[in-house]
Amino acid sequence: MIKGTEQQDVRIEKAHKTPVLKLVVAFGAISSLLWGSYQLIFSTSANAALVLARSEVQLATVSRGDFVRDLAVQGKVVAANAPTLVSQQDGLVRFIKQPGEAVTIGDLLAVVESPSLENEVKQQQALLLSMQSEHERAKLLAREQQLDMRQIESSARVNLQAAKRELARAEQSMQLGVMRQIDLDIARDKLAQTELEYNHAKAKVALAADKLSFEQKSGEQGLARQALVVAELERKLAALQIKAPVTGQVGNWLATQQTQVLTGQGLLTVIDLSQYEAELSVPENYAAELSPGLPVEVTLNGQKLSGQLSHVAAEVKDSNVTARVRFADQDAKALRQNQRVSGRIVFDERKDVLRVARGEFVASGGGRIGYRLEQDIAVRTPIELGALSVQWVEILAGAKEGEQLVISSLSEFKDAERVRLN
């Protein structure tokens, strides 16, 4: 039998038409959804020129409380007394103590050998001895001359006395009539002559004494000058023996063992371990506010040490000013030279101050513009900021306690008056 095509055929049912009412309802629902979205997006932000994600913005609440105006800086631990020893003369250096070795005051650390200085010292010492011998010889000669002058004076005195006796005899003889007048006159002239000779001898003796005193003083002055020269050279020679000025430890060698060094060249440092200080680098725009006595808190390996500024450098270097901190109480064993530290300098402390957490809005807003949160809208608001600290910013005007301000960078706000935060 031949089969038919009945089983290959598929019966197709006639589709029912969708009622018009259902189409109208669906269109109305879609229109309502679109309108609601429009109202949600556009009507609520009709006055907002920009929309930002709320997660990208950092907010903080304005509050009242204590305000400490401080500054966070970095620095290092330095020895309060760490002198650098230098060479007083050109020569060959020979180190005795090694870096890090403990020393006490007066210990020999190094020797600078200078043959030229040693030779000059010996020459000047020999010259001093020669001058001393010449001075003694001059004194002996002067005393000898003075003795000769005194002998002449004594002879003149004897002649004077003889002339006086001769005149007395002549006068007696004249009274007795046994001597002529001319002989009496001769006796008187001789007496006058011997008086002149005697006075001249006395003057020469006095002059010889003055000359002896002058030459002696001049010789002593020359000896004193030469003694100063010798003393200075001996001091320089002794200074080539480099000794520890403090008790502590040797720092670093600033020259190589057995090398030629120049006058004034640094040789090594000695660190006084009994007292440490912190050396902080402060930005130069705070230099005018730095003064000795300001309280400082230094953090080192999680340990906080209190202190105060001891002195501030008078010069600016690399846009920073160096300030030294003297610790009020410290454990010297816990500190090491050149350890890195963090410091907090306290400039001012105030009570009941309107404040907000510090953020990037200070720099990006120039301290004059801020954004205050009103529901989901950040409103551009003129503000006036006061003092700044590490944690807080003082608000002088433009915000009230309890309000929220944007404290993150305001560059994304593009100076818009109103910004919606989703």
Side-chain angles (χ1 to χ4, degrees):
M1 293 180 65
I2 300 175
K3 295 182 179 180
T5 62
E6 292 83 0
Q7 295 183 1
Q8 294 179 358
D9 297 332
V10 178
R11 184 176 181 178
I12 300 176
E13 298 291 340
K14 184 178 180 181
H16 298 284
K17 293 184 179 180
T18 304
V20 177
L21 181 60
K22 290 183 179 181
L23 292 176
V24 172
V25 171
F27 179 77
I30 294 174
S31 298
S32 299
L33 180 61
L34 293 175
W35 178 254
S37 300
Y38 174 81
Q39 290 295 325
L40 179 63
I41 297 175
F42 293 99
S43 64
T44 57
S45 59
N47 297 326
L50 189 65
V51 178
L52 295 176
R54 192 185 188 99
S55 59
E56 298 178 356
V57 176
Q58 187 177 1
L59 301 172
T61 302
V62 179
S63 61
R64 284 193 173 272
D66 297 339
F67 180 86
V68 178
R69 189 167 68 91
D70 53 6
L71 175 67
V73 293
Q74 300 295 319
K76 61 181 180 180
V77 175
V78 295
N81 186 19
T84 298
L85 306 182
V86 301
S87 174
Q88 298 291 329
Q89 191 72 20
D90 297 353
L92 191 69
V93 64
R94 177 168 56 87
F95 291 104
I96 307 299
K97 298 291 185 179
Q98 299 293 324
E101 190 172 350
V103 295
T104 57
I105 186 170
D107 285 354
L108 184 62
L109 306 180
V111 176
V112 177
E113 299 174 353
S114 177
S116 60
L117 180 60
E118 294 176 359
N119 184 47
E120 186 177 1
V121 170
K122 292 178 181 179
Q123 289 180 359
Q124 295 299 327
Q125 287 175 341
L127 179 59
L128 178 61
L129 293 175
S130 175
M131 291 179 65
Q132 288 175 344
S133 300
E134 290 296 329
H135 179 60
E136 295 297 329
R137 182 180 293 108
K139 287 170 62 176
L140 291 175
L141 291 176
R143 288 174 59 187
E144 182 179 4
Q145 292 176 1
Q146 192 174 22
L147 287 176
D148 293 340
M149 292 299 102
R150 286 179 180 176
Q151 182 179 8
I152 294 174
E153 180 188 5
S154 299
S155 299
R157 184 185 302 112
V158 171
N159 293 335
L160 178 61
Q161 292 175 354
K164 287 180 179 181
R165 287 194 296 267
E166 186 66 26
L167 179 60
R169 286 194 297 268
E171 288 177 347
Q172 290 178 359
S173 299
M174 188 66 184
Q175 291 176 359
L176 295 175
V178 296
M179 180 175 284
R180 296 176 301 173
Q181 181 65 38
I182 189 172
D183 294 331
L184 178 61
D185 294 337
I186 292 174
R188 287 175 178 173
D189 294 339
K190 189 174 181 179
L191 175 61
Q193 182 181 0
T194 54
E195 286 180 347
L196 290 174
E197 292 176 353
Y198 174 68
N199 291 332
H200 183 67
K202 284 174 56 177
K204 289 185 69 176
V205 170
L207 180 61
D210 293 340
K211 184 179 179 181
L212 173 62
S213 177
F214 173 78
E215 291 180 351
Q216 182 175 358
K217 184 179 296 185
S218 178
E220 290 174 351
Q221 291 174 350
L223 286 175
R225 286 193 298 270
Q226 184 61 24
L228 289 176
V229 172
V230 172
E232 176 63 16
L233 291 174
E234 289 177 344
R235 184 196 65 79
K236 289 183 178 180
L237 186 61
L240 298 184
Q241 305 287 319
I242 310 299
K243 297 182 179 180
V246 296
T247 298
Q249 70 178 23
V250 178
N252 295 322
W253 286 356
L254 305 180
T256 308
Q257 179 76 281
Q258 295 291 337
T259 58
Q260 186 75 17
V261 294
L262 302 177
T263 303
Q265 181 177 342
L267 299 178
L268 50 81
T269 58
V270 181
I271 303 172
D272 184 0
L273 301 178
S274 62
Q275 184 69 33
Y276 281 102
E277 292 182 351
E279 186 177 83
L280 304 179
S281 296
V282 183
E284 62 177 319
N285 53 320
Y286 290 94
E289 302 183 62
L290 296 176
S291 61
L294 285 178
V296 181
E297 184 181 84
V298 176
T299 303
L300 173 65
N301 297 330
Q303 179 185 7
K304 292 185 177 181
L305 302 174
S306 60
Q308 61 181 12
L309 290 184
S310 59
H311 61 272
V312 181
E315 63 177 353
V316 177
K317 186 177 182 181
D318 297 332
S319 301
N320 288 308
V321 176
T322 301
R324 283 288 189 99
V325 178
R326 182 171 298 154
F327 297 111
D329 186 17
Q330 66 168 348
D331 181 7
K333 296 181 180 179
L335 301 176
R336 291 293 182 271
Q337 180 88 340
N338 293 325
Q339 276 184 305
R340 304 302 301 177
V341 297
S342 299
R344 188 173 71 94
I345 304 175
V346 180
F347 294 106
D348 189 16
E349 295 185 16
R350 306 179 189 178
K351 302 290 184 180
D352 193 27
V353 174
L354 192 65
R355 64 187 186 177
V356 71
R358 183 168 181 172
E360 296 182 7
F361 80 104
V362 177
S364 58
R368 299 184 300 273
I369 299 299
Y371 280 85
R372 186 180 70 253
L373 187 65
E374 296 180 359
Q375 294 182 353
D376 293 332
I377 304 298
V379 181
R380 189 175 186 271
T381 305
I383 60 174
E384 183 180 353
L385 301 182
L388 304 177
S389 72
V390 176
Q391 184 178 3
W392 300 102
V393 179
E394 182 185 13
I395 299 179
L396 301 179
K400 298 179 181 179
E401 184 179 0
E403 293 181 340
Q404 284 189 308
L405 295 180
V406 176
I407 63 172
S408 55
S409 176
L410 304 182
S411 59
E412 299 295 332
F413 286 70
K414 300 179 180 179
D415 288 333
E417 292 294 332
R418 296 170 65 87
V419 177
R420 177 175 178 79
L421 302 180
N422 286 339

